Amino acid sequence: GIINDILDFSKIESGKMEIVPADYDLVKLMSDIMNVVEVRLKGKPVELMLEIEPSLARIYNGDDMRLRQILINLAGNSSKFTEKGFVKLRVEDLRKYQDKDGLRFSVIDSGVGIKKEDLGKLFRAFQQVDMQMNRSKGGTGLGLSISKNLVTLMHGSIGVESEYGKGATFYVNIPQKRISAETCGESY
């Protein structure tokens, strides 16, 4: 994982990272991500939840591989720093927040949260906040930086809201092209 992070970071730094759009099933994508996160939460009293707006299209066009990488990274961090309570993944229509077609993905947790003074450090390469706590958690401090760069390559935005001691919400706004008329609610 660390080697892959460093390789991705190098590709991004050298301008060699490419976004490769394809049609993908939104619910299957989210289900894959949930399966990975579920393994990371094993043995913890943490409820894992998924909310998808039923009116969203079943099929979208975008780089689902990079989207998967970003969301596993965000949800992985949430599961790392949440010892009890919940981790929730939410998918909404981007139009609720911006005048653009696309999706808003949120990862919401009841974990330790992030201090106000540390929020600005989050998306910088090789930066980790609360080193005392992170010693036991591992990681390179590259995950959020890579995620931010991938989101930027996809013409999106990423952000965080947090109250220390009460959890965090990371969100990603990504333009994605709606392909199917059939909705997630109709299909599933």
Side-chain angles (χ1 to χ4, degrees), residues 92-139:
E92 301 169 275
D93 192 327
L94 184 55
R95 288 230 169 250
K96 279 182 166 177
Y97 302 92
Q98 297 177 352
D99 190 26
K100 286 182 186 169
D101 285 327
L103 297 168
R104 180 183 181 111
F105 298 91
S106 302
V107 178
I108 307 153
D109 67 56
S110 61
V112 294
I114 302 146
K115 293 176 183 161
K116 268 193 175 55
E117 63 267 24
D118 289 334
L119 287 171
K121 298 178 194 171
L122 280 178
F123 297 103
R124 292 190 209 141
F126 301 106
Q127 285 278 319
Q128 290 182 320
V129 297
D130 206 339
M131 292 310 290
Q132 198 74 36
M133 187 187 300
N134 279 340
R135 279 183 78 136
S136 62
K137 306 290 184 187

Side-chain angles (χ1 to χ4, degrees), residues 6-84:
I6 292 166
L7 289 172
D8 280 348
F9 187 73
S10 297
K11 275 188 203 169
I12 289 165
E13 288 283 284
S14 64
K16 302 281 189 224
M17 180 65 75
E18 289 183 35
I19 298 302
V20 183
D23 290 357
Y24 65 90
D25 183 307
L26 180 60
V27 174
K28 282 189 179 143
L29 170 71
M30 296 311 294
S31 178
D32 289 350
I33 293 163
M34 294 294 280
N35 287 334
V36 172
V37 178
E38 191 172 34
V39 170
R40 293 184 182 180
L41 286 171
K42 204 164 189 77
K44 286 186 180 184
V46 177
E47 184 180 2
L48 180 60
M49 296 176 264
L50 174 61
E51 292 177 2
I52 299 177
E53 270 184 22
S55 61
L56 293 175
R58 180 177 156 225
I59 308 293
Y60 281 88
N61 183 272
D63 191 334
D64 60 320
M65 296 299 289
R66 293 300 172 195
L67 207 44
R68 180 181 279 113
Q69 183 178 355
I70 292 162
L71 295 173
I72 285 174
N73 186 342
L74 295 179
N77 282 349
S78 277
S79 59
K80 199 188 295 188
F81 294 105
T82 302
E83 293 305 321
K84 62 184 192 320

